[in-house]
Amino acid sequence: MFIRRCLVRNCPYAARALQTSAEAQSRPRRALLYMPGDDMKKIRKAAQLDLDLAVLDCEDAVAVSRKSLARSTITTALNTLQFGRTERGVRTNSVSSGLIADDLAAILRNEIQPDVIMVPKLDTVEEARTLNMLVAQSSDTPVKVIFQTESAIGLLNLGSILEYLVTASHIIPVAVVFGADDYVSDIQASRDIEAVVYARQKVVAYARAYNLQPIDRVHIEFRELEALRAESKSGFGMGFAGKQCIHPTQVPIIQESFRPTPEQVEYAQQLIRSFNDSQSKGKGAFTFRDKMIDRPTLLQAQNVVNMFSDLD
């Protein structure tokens, strides 16, 4: 892992990388809800939800002719609305769009900055370098960034992009979002879950390797709530930390799905106690509820307990 290599070599970025790791893991981002940046009514509604992350969108949800209106509406919302516990995010346009410099200037020079910015369609290390330069032009301090992987080339370059971002001077990466709809269009596939298994697994593996949060695809059939619940639980089981959503009714289902159940927490806590007892007696592997337990299983149990503590 890059962070471990940095520590071994006394890399000057090691402390920053570890800080990023701790922050990314500690703040829940289970439901990531988009709302159009040019619609103050919808933004006000999002501010009143019990929501982990509200993303005010300058990109896909806003027509090209209304980009300027979206920027001014978003800055007004940041300056005037109270979001409570909800993390405030703004999605810019992509680096390749030619619009992101204006987005960043408006958002990062605003009286109140968002908690995090989200950058779509980050496909190459060169685009990541450009992003860092543009952020530096609008902010004196590093900015937390969530970025989206939405193409075949972006997925292939994901490791190199992440390795650059964790050393970038003005970016603190905290999460990686899988943009499934653009991805399946790019690879000329259907939107069936089978078509994106490889991509979803790769996003999880790379994000977790760099101690960032992987965020799963949108469930676009927003009225099919039981299907949403099943897909959310599946994503949680794959290692995703959260899921994108497009309608407020999806939020409670996603946030309930991306947390361990009371039964899982109780099982994990008892397993840890039994492991500690076994260690005190000088034993290695041991049996717990008819299962052979060793250190990897202990680490899984600790993940469950830690996740429960973060959300409690």
Side-chain angles (χ1 to χ4, degrees):
M1 183 193 294
F2 175 78
I3 292 175
R4 290 175 182 169
R5 294 204 308 269
C6 280
L7 290 174
V8 170
R9 299 174 186 174
N10 296 315
C11 171
Y13 296 106
R16 251 281 309 278
L18 288 174
Q19 175 188 353
T20 299
S21 165
E23 194 284 333
Q25 296 293 336
S26 64
R27 182 151 196 169
R29 297 183 178 96
R30 296 166 297 171
L32 185 161
L33 176 65
Y34 298 104
M35 70 286 305
D38 59 347
D39 192 329
M40 182 61 84
K41 181 179 179 181
K42 290 182 179 177
I43 295 173
R44 285 197 185 98
K45 184 171 184 178
Q48 298 170 359
L49 298 174
D50 180 27
L51 170 66
D52 286 352
L53 174 55
V55 177
L56 286 56
D57 195 9
C58 278
E59 197 218 10
D60 285 348
V62 178
V64 173
S65 61
R66 292 173 65 87
K67 299 292 187 182
S68 180
L69 174 62
R71 295 180 193 115
S72 62
T73 302
I74 288 170
T75 54
T76 299
L78 291 172
N79 292 339
T80 60
L81 298 182
Q82 298 297 318
F83 283 76
R85 75 167 190 87
T86 299
E87 187 176 24
R88 302 159 303 170
V90 174
R91 180 162 71 168
T92 68
N93 290 281
S94 67
V95 173
S96 61
S97 70
L99 299 169
I100 189 172
D102 289 338
D103 296 338
L104 292 173
I107 301 305
L108 297 181
R109 294 173 186 169
N110 186 47
E111 177 184 347
I112 297 179
Q113 287 190 3
D115 300 306
V116 64
I117 63 170
M118 184 172 176
V119 180
K121 301 176 177 68
L122 199 63
D123 285 339
T124 66
V125 174
E126 290 71 24
E127 288 184 350
R129 290 195 182 100
T130 300
L131 173 62
N132 187 61
M133 178 191 70
L134 293 172
V135 170
Q137 290 174 359
S138 295
S139 178
D140 294 331
T141 58
V143 172
K144 293 176 186 174
V145 172
I146 296 170
F147 77 94
Q148 291 182 269
T149 294
E150 304 183 70
S151 69
I153 193 65
L155 193 68
L156 290 176
N157 289 333
L158 185 54
S160 299
I161 291 169
L162 282 169
E163 186 149 344
Y164 170 76
L165 288 178
V166 297
T167 69
S169 62
H170 277 70
I171 293 174
I172 302 174
V174 295
V176 182
V177 171
F178 176 47
D181 291 290
D182 284 283
Y183 175 78
V184 295
S185 176
D186 189 46
I187 66 170
Q188 302 179 40
S190 71
R191 203 181 184 280
D192 295 341
I193 196 72
E194 293 82 5
V196 293
V197 169
Y198 165 73
R200 291 171 80 213
Q201 290 175 330
K202 186 164 183 177
V203 168
V204 168
Y206 271 99
R208 293 299 187 185
Y210 285 85
N211 291 299
L212 307 180
Q213 292 173 323
I215 309 297
D216 203 3
R217 70 177 190 165
V218 173
H219 187 80
I220 59 175
E221 299 86 0
F222 63 88
R223 290 189 175 89
E224 298 180 4
L225 298 183
E226 288 310 308
L228 170 66
R229 191 186 310 277
E231 187 172 293
S232 298
K233 289 183 178 296
S234 171
F236 179 62
M238 286 181 67
F240 282 102
K243 190 172 184 66
Q244 302 163 85
C245 53
I246 53 175
H247 195 278
T249 58
Q250 295 179 311
V251 170
I253 291 174
I254 290 173
Q255 292 188 166
E256 184 62 30
S257 297
F258 279 87
R259 65 180 299 156
T261 65
E263 293 77 17
Q264 289 171 326
V265 174
E266 184 270 340
Y267 177 92
Q269 290 172 333
Q270 288 198 12
L271 188 152
I272 292 169
R273 285 194 290 268
S274 296
F275 181 87
N276 291 336
D277 181 63
S278 175
Q279 289 290 294
S280 68
K281 297 175 180 176
K283 298 179 181 179
F286 70 102
T287 301
F288 177 76
R289 297 187 184 180
D290 297 325
K291 294 181 180 179
M292 185 61 66
I293 305 299
D294 55 12
R295 190 157 196 83
T297 314
L298 171 71
L299 295 176
Q300 294 168 22
Q302 289 173 333
N303 286 338
V304 169
V305 173
N306 292 339
M307 189 180 308
F308 176 76
S309 299
D310 289 340
L311 296 172
D312 193 24

